Amino acid sequence: MSTRALVGRPRGTVETNRRTIMKSASVAGTVAVVGSSVALTSACSSDEPSESNGAGGTDANVPAGDVPVGSGTVVDETYVVTQPKEGEFYAFSSVCTHQGCQVRTVTEDKITCPCHSSQFSTTTGEVLTGPATEPLAEYSVSDSDGTLTISGK
């Protein structure tokens, strides 16, 4: 700004305008961060299946061959079915009890939520590491001629 522009203005006017601009930019930045956090959190939220029979009135079926030994799979965005050892099947809600994200990664001994890294047992659904504090809801699994049926417990 030239010296000429400052003539006739009260002292401190330029500084006040800069401060006002910086405060406005700070508020806008905070709003952007909060807005993106809300969007990410809502992307993780989901409703758990109803407890009527485990999945809102319907059982789920999956070929036993689709559940890898030493791992597991998510079925219908509702269940996670695990097979830690050959022929040993377990089923739980695929919805993390922390903030409702879908669990995705299954190893022989743990189910991991991608949102905040909560880990659950593949045989009991119990919390191994938080931030989740509640276990995954457990469902019964039956095997009939190579087809697994998951139903409410």
Side-chain angles (χ1 to χ4, degrees):
M1 193 179 272
S2 72
T3 309
R4 189 176 203 180
L6 295 175
V7 175
R9 287 186 178 210
R11 190 175 177 107
T13 303
V14 174
E15 184 62 30
T16 302
N17 288 337
R18 284 187 202 145
R19 285 185 185 152
T20 302
I21 290 169
M22 293 307 291
K23 284 181 184 177
S24 297
S26 174
V27 169
T30 301
V31 169
V33 168
V34 170
S36 66
S37 295
V38 169
L40 288 173
T41 302
S42 65
C44 287
S45 65
S46 174
D47 293 328
E48 283 199 54
S50 83
E51 293 299 321
S52 62
N53 77 342
T58 61
D59 293 338
N61 295 308
V62 62
D66 287 359
V67 183
V69 176
S71 186
T73 189
V74 176
V75 178
D76 297 337
E77 299 280 325
T78 303
Y79 305 104
V80 58
V81 182
T82 66
Q83 186 178 194
K85 295 186 180 1
E86 182 78 39
E88 211 177 90
F89 297 98
Y90 301 90
F92 308 97
S93 169
S94 65
V95 179
C96 180
T97 58
H98 175 236
Q99 287 192 343
C101 295
Q102 284 285 319
V103 298
R104 294 279 179 227
T105 305
V106 183
T107 63
E108 189 173 335
D109 60 346
K110 63 186 167 230
I111 301 165
T112 304
C113 178
C115 294
H116 302 103
S117 301
S118 289
Q119 295 182 335
F120 305 88
S121 166
T122 57
T123 58
T124 66
E126 292 294 320
V127 176
L128 299 175
T129 59
T133 58
E134 298 295 319
L136 295 174
E138 187 174 2
Y139 298 98
S140 64
V141 182
S142 59
D143 185 357
S144 177
D145 296 325
T147 299
L148 302 177
T149 300
I150 301 124
S151 55
K153 236 182 175 173

